[in-house]
Amino acid sequence: MKLQYLYLTPTTMIKKILLSLFFFISASHLFAQNTPIMDYGFRLGLTAHPTFGWIKAENGKGNGTSLGFSYGLLADFNFAENYSLATGITVTTINGKSTEINPRLYAQNANTTAATAYDLKYKLQYLELPLTVKLKTNKIGDLRWYGQFGLSNDFNIGARQDAESGGKGIVTNQNIKSSTRFYRAGLILGGGGEFDLDTHTSITAGLTYNNGFTNIVKDGDRSVKNHYIALNFGIFF
């Protein structure tokens, strides 16, 4: 008996995630309508903000931070007066620079087996689905503060890299998706404030630290992880 494996392309994966999120939001709205005592509201919003990423390489070192960008949807499911399940779906770019010794992608084409340092710039783009808990203070006028903690689930949708060695360029903007892992997990820790503009609209600003704890490369035993800090800006409706 032959076993058939279902392969999902990134486009199909994105469609399924969006469809699942839509049904989840719809089901939550219907549930809230049927349980008015526990209905503290559902909010949907938009976000666009910069990210500052860096690389930690087991066989090398990071070379400072690099600017990226994130944009997409925010969603808060308020299950109590001061507590929310915060999620969303964003396209997030995590850039970073490193110096690594003999990465297989480039070292295998070199004419020497000696230890050689390569300066790399990672330019990675993810579809990010955070799952976090948001703890809020009581309102102080139109302002309330919040803290946030949870898990980042990231699915690679683009991976490119610049590489040089000894000051000599090797590749520029090369597609490295085949040597980059599809799934990335991270720990989210952040905080900020929300300011009410009117009864249904509020703006939010804050700071988030996203600590990646899974290997992002497929290169034997080589381990590389990426992290970022985001300056969050958004608006809820």
Side-chain angles (χ1 to χ4, degrees):
M1 180 178 65
K2 294 183 178 180
L3 296 177
Q4 294 183 342
Y5 294 90
L6 178 62
Y7 173 75
L8 297 178
T9 65
T11 301
T12 304
M13 178 72 73
I14 292 171
K15 289 180 179 178
K16 287 184 176 292
I17 290 170
L18 287 172
L19 188 60
S20 298
L21 186 60
F22 171 77
F23 282 120
F24 181 59
I25 291 171
S26 300
S28 299
H29 180 66
L30 290 173
F31 178 77
Q33 287 181 327
N34 292 327
T35 56
I37 295 177
M38 296 300 294
D39 181 15
Y40 292 96
F42 163 74
R43 301 190 304 164
L44 192 65
L46 300 173
T47 184
H49 58 260
T51 64
F52 302 89
W54 66 94
I55 297 292
K56 285 187 179 179
E58 189 175 83
N59 192 25
K61 63 177 184 177
N63 284 332
T65 61
S66 297
L67 182 65
F69 199 71
S70 179
Y71 62 92
L73 295 174
L74 301 174
D76 274 10
F77 299 88
N78 303 312
F79 60 88
E81 186 175 359
N82 295 88
Y83 308 100
S84 301
L85 293 176
T87 183
I89 181 167
T90 62
V91 176
T92 300
T93 302
I94 309 176
N95 297 328
K97 299 177 182 179
S98 67
T99 298
E100 300 176 38
I101 305 301
N102 290 351
R104 185 169 57 184
L105 184 62
Y106 306 109
Q108 64 185 0
N109 297 322
N111 295 323
T112 178
T113 58
T116 305
Y118 291 81
D119 295 321
L120 309 177
K121 181 175 182 180
Y122 292 83
K123 295 177 279 187
L124 305 179
Q125 192 173 63
Y126 295 92
L127 186 72
E128 184 171 277
L129 282 82
L131 297 173
T132 66
V133 175
K134 186 183 287 185
L135 311 178
K136 305 175 185 179
T137 66
N138 292 324
K139 282 189 178 182
I140 306 171
D142 291 325
L143 177 67
R144 63 167 53 187
W145 302 100
Y146 70 85
Q148 194 170 3
F149 177 82
L151 180 67
S152 174
N153 299 279
D154 306 328
F155 305 92
N156 189 285
I157 57 174
R160 294 190 175 275
Q161 190 170 74
D162 300 338
E164 63 177 53
S165 181
K168 181 180 178 182
I170 300 173
V171 296
T172 300
N173 210 37
Q174 174 168 286
N175 190 331
I176 59 165
K177 198 169 182 198
S178 61
S179 59
T180 305
R181 295 183 186 272
F182 177 64
Y183 177 72
R184 170 192 180 272
L187 185 67
I188 296 174
L189 181 64
E194 297 178 7
F195 183 81
D196 290 340
L197 297 178
D198 58 34
T199 306
H200 301 290
T201 307
S202 62
I203 57 175
T204 178
L207 188 69
T208 295
Y209 170 52
N210 189 304
N211 180 47
F213 55 81
T214 55
N215 190 5
I216 63 171
V217 299
K218 294 187 284 188
D219 190 353
D221 295 329
R222 182 166 147 256
S223 177
V224 178
K225 298 174 183 178
N226 58 0
H227 319 275
Y228 73 84
I229 290 176
L231 294 176
N232 302 317
F233 301 99
I235 182 168
F236 283 103
F237 302 98

